[in-house]
Amino acid sequence: MKTPLTELEFTEPERYEQYEGPFYHFELSRREFIATLGAGLVISVATPSAFAQRAGRGAEQAASLAQRLHIGVDGVVTVLTSKVEVGQGSRTQLTQAAAGELHVAIERLRLVMGDTAGPDDGGTAGSATTPRSVPAIRKACAATRQLLLDTAATAFTVEAGNLSVRDGKVEGLPPGKQFSYADLASERHAEALKQNVAPGVAIKEVAAWHVLGTSVPCVNGVEIVTGAHRYPSDIVRPGMVYGKVLRPASYGAKLEEIDLGPAKATPDVIAVRDGDFVGFTAPTSFAAEQARNAAAKTAKWTSPANVSSDELHTHLRAKASGRSRPEKRGNADEAFQNAAKVLRETYNIAYIQHAPMEPRAAVAEWNGDQLTVWTGSQQPARVRQDLAQSLRIPTERVRVIVPDTGGGFGGKHSGEAAVEAARLAREARQPVSVRWSREEEFTWAYFRPAGVIDVAGGLDAKGGLMAWEHVNFNSGSSAIASPYQIPNVTTEFKDCEQPLRSGSYRALASTANVFARESFMDELAAATDADPLEFRLRHLTNERLRNVLLAATERFGWHGAWKKNSSRQTTGIGLACGIEKGSFAACCAKIEVNTDGTFKVLKVVEAFECGAIQNPANLKAQVEGCIIMGLGGALTEETRFKNGAMLNASFRSYRVPRFKDVPEIETVLVNRPDLPSVGAGETPIIGIAPAIANALFHAAQSRIRSLPIRNESFWYA
Amino acid sequence: MNLTAQFEVNGREQRVSTDAKRTLLDVLREDLGLTGTKFGCGEGQCRACTVLIDGKAVQACQTTMDEVDGRKIETIEGLANAGKLHPVQEAFIAEGAMQCGYCVPGMVMATVGLFRRNPKPTAAEITAGLNGNLCRCCGYVNVLKAVQRAAQIRKEGR
């Protein structure tokens, strides 16, 4: 049974979210999924292909029918999506979305996520699940509810308009008659179902939400607290062995020779060399690691010269390519010449790692020429392509399954472990589990790009901003456009030749661009003796951004707390705000300077607005998570490297936030039921670093212009 | 070098012959099928692998098989009793103390271990006691609420 319904999806890729291709190029040497769900009814819905989404084409060229829902004969509804759960709460949120339109209890719903045998509604990136996938699933579910009503109306010769659905059952039928989703799935109604549900079925207005909009707890919470949930690194297959991969001696090093003889002679150990890839399998990960480590001692490498983190920012500026994307409004050059006062500053941003709690992991299993891989990735379809391309097999023979994964933060758009496991499993002729170590994750996973940002501002005689220039070297263009009203603006993002592999991150380049802009706004305010809040408001007409800024400062008690300091103080307050991915964030921070010159973040207040709130408890948790993760990038997180090697590939030396670092936190969730919901897992991070840097300036009268701030006393407090 | 270790895991006798230098974490996960205990760093820096050995919270990735003979080990899988969740597990659910949830088994076991050595911890003692358990989703606020909730329930003897 096919029920066409057209849904447009489009996500504009950020530079670093773009596909970079497989990790390995090996030298030469689809099955039906829905059937496994058992008897029942399959509802297919037209979805544009993910390829067309990435290419930016419309749905009319791309629509293809994909199996979106399965209704079991027991009435259990399974919803399928390629979106994945990496901690942002999408499993619960999408279940709410489906339950609210189907009128089925949460407990009667299953969500199959991240399986390439299901529909491809794109990867999990850019905070797109809320604005794109929630409506897509709601529309499919609303259409299915209408199908239930129409079928019941035909079966009992009543008006569909007089019927409704409650808890999966049709209400308003003649006395003694019953009809439910289970009946819809039974064979009896096969004939009646041979009609298409009209597209354009209405979904509920926010005022009528009864599941969305409520704090439904994590739907698989019991599996998580009991350790029963199987993350990618927990997947076990019959006959599975463990794999370890040899890593290059340094970035870009080429393997000249290695002796695999001893490993090959070891019972139960398999050693593979395929181009630059060298891997080992054994019955335990310990034995695989021993084989790998012994072989590594015989390896000879040629290592290229590499830039070190100490010379990084000079390097990036020097290696800017000709490719850049300037955007202009008014005439900034002329305005700077006419300005009463001009300020110019440079801000430096370090490379940082996502460091999810679960390092990359995959299990690969071959059945003849069919390959199945379980792995933790935000991009199941890309991983499938990577596998097909690097193993030189047709895509149709590859299935990728992403179990709910231990953290992503934009750091798992790639499929390195999947390709490694698949290559080893082909050799071992057994399923292989490859789990990266923490050191591998720190060293060989891609990084949030480092950057150099030049900002200039021109003020008129009354202290009004009349000219603005913002140039980002390397770290990306997200949030490079200022939200402030400035008549003459130039912004430019310059691509650079960079030493480390870079990719997406939580809010990506906006963490850097907002840090630079909001720090610089503070500098301009100070240069005109203005209250940083008043200075911003004077240049801000965007109503939604004003609202969060006012909400945060009111809760924080900014008025009365801020005064101009002319000497060093022991405490300071700062603020920052910004827009990213359609949502609005404003932060206030209070810091205290210790007698030794180090400082502590005492309090953070953040106001956040992302349209109509779909799950208040999860939203609060995401904002709090962003605030604390933001403390890491602001204060301590920094990838240091020299001669092509990481210097701090460990939680010992790469300091991430801990319980003791948690300040007093208050969140203000601004609900806008009149506006469409957008994602919230990323944007709340953007204002933390500048708010802290501005608070430090307020207290210490000295300006921080690089991230991290390197407050050394935070180390192992 | 191989050895045969005999120990108890969640009330069941186990006998494992293996390399003496394999970690307890590997053996729990790869030999005994107990994948609830997580690998986070393998160097004792994140405590995702926290288990109880003779009642004390210990990092399974820092414990080798030559150290476990004759010991009583408790893992996350042994905490619920006949399908009834442990009060700490209940508290984590009640406070939504999970995002990706990967750190949660270690957090729960560290909390149970904390309560065994300090039955009535203050808020400051909870923060200090859990400080080495990392959560990269940074869901620390709700975890602290969950542990405080569980501690409160203990104090009230509920």
Side-chain angles (χ1 to χ4, degrees), chain A residues 22 31 94 125 176 190 215 218 234 275 301 349 411 488 542 649 661 664 675:
Chain A
R31 36 189 202 174
L94 293 172
S215 290
C218 179
D234 301 331
W301 303 88
I349 315 294
N488 304 290
N542 184 304
D661 303 330
E664 183 188 346
L675 294 170

Side-chain angles (χ1 to χ4, degrees), chain A residues 573-584:
Chain A
I573 60 174
L575 60 81
C577 62
I579 308 170
E580 176 64 7
K581 299 187 167 73
S583 63
F584 301 78

Side-chain angles (χ1 to χ4, degrees), chain A residues 366-386:
Chain A
W366 291 86
N367 284 304
D369 61 2
Q370 305 284 323
L371 172 66
T372 305
V373 178
W374 292 258
T375 191
S377 176
Q378 297 173 242
Q379 302 284 355
R382 283 188 207 168
V383 174
R384 188 186 191 207
Q385 279 174 18
D386 279 6

Side-chain angles (χ1 to χ4, degrees), chain A residues 604-644:
Chain A
V604 174
V605 174
E606 173 152 358
F608 183 68
E609 192 254 288
C610 57
I613 296 175
Q614 299 195 339
N615 184 321
N618 185 53
L619 176 60
K620 185 164 185 284
Q622 289 300 312
V623 175
E624 288 167 349
C626 278
I627 290 171
I628 301 171
M629 194 178 215
L631 290 178
L635 302 177
T636 55
E637 290 185 45
E638 172 182 25
T639 295
R640 289 183 288 116
F641 51 98
K642 193 174 183 178
N643 298 329

Side-chain angles (χ1 to χ4, degrees), chain B:
Chain B
M1 196 187 64
N2 274 17
L3 57 63
T4 299
Q6 234 175 321
F7 50 100
E8 195 185 297
V9 180
N10 301 330
R12 284 178 60 179
E13 271 308 311
Q14 298 285 354
R15 200 181 149 87
V16 176
S17 294
T18 190
D19 193 294
K21 288 299 168 198
R22 280 180 77 203
T23 64
L24 172 62
L25 176 63
D26 275 0
V27 170
L28 288 172
R29 292 177 51 85
E30 297 176 9
D31 300 27
L32 304 179
L34 297 171
T35 56
T37 307
K38 304 304 178 200
F39 173 94
C41 69
E43 50 185 25
Q45 294 293 313
C46 78
R47 303 197 187 173
C49 64
T50 302
V51 297
L52 302 185
I53 299 184
D54 295 340
K56 287 187 182 136
V58 168
Q59 292 142 74
C61 79
Q62 296 298 293
T63 307
T64 48
M65 288 309 291
D66 51 11
E67 297 173 292
V68 301
D69 197 57
R71 299 197 185 262
K72 282 175 86 159
I73 295 158
E74 293 165 77
T75 73
I76 190 72
E77 289 91 345
L79 215 52
N81 191 353
K84 187 175 165 26
L85 296 182
H86 186 280
V88 173
Q89 292 171 316
E90 298 260 21
F92 270 66
I93 288 182
E95 295 292 349
M98 61 196 72
Q99 291 190 24
C100 81
Y102 194 81
C103 68
V104 167
M107 294 271 185
V108 169
M109 295 311 287
T111 305
V112 173
L114 171 66
F115 287 166
R116 295 238 180 117
R117 77 184 145 82
N118 180 358
K120 293 178 181 175
T122 63
E125 287 167 344
I126 289 170
T127 301
L130 290 179
N131 197 43
N133 284 76
L134 299 184
C135 170
R136 283 297 286 149
C137 301
C138 294
Y140 293 120
V141 173
N142 285 359
V143 173
L144 285 174
K145 282 185 193 161
V147 178
Q148 280 160 9
R149 181 191 189 99
Q152 191 60 31
I153 288 169
R154 288 178 65 88
K155 278 179 200 164
E156 292 167 8
R158 281 195 269 147

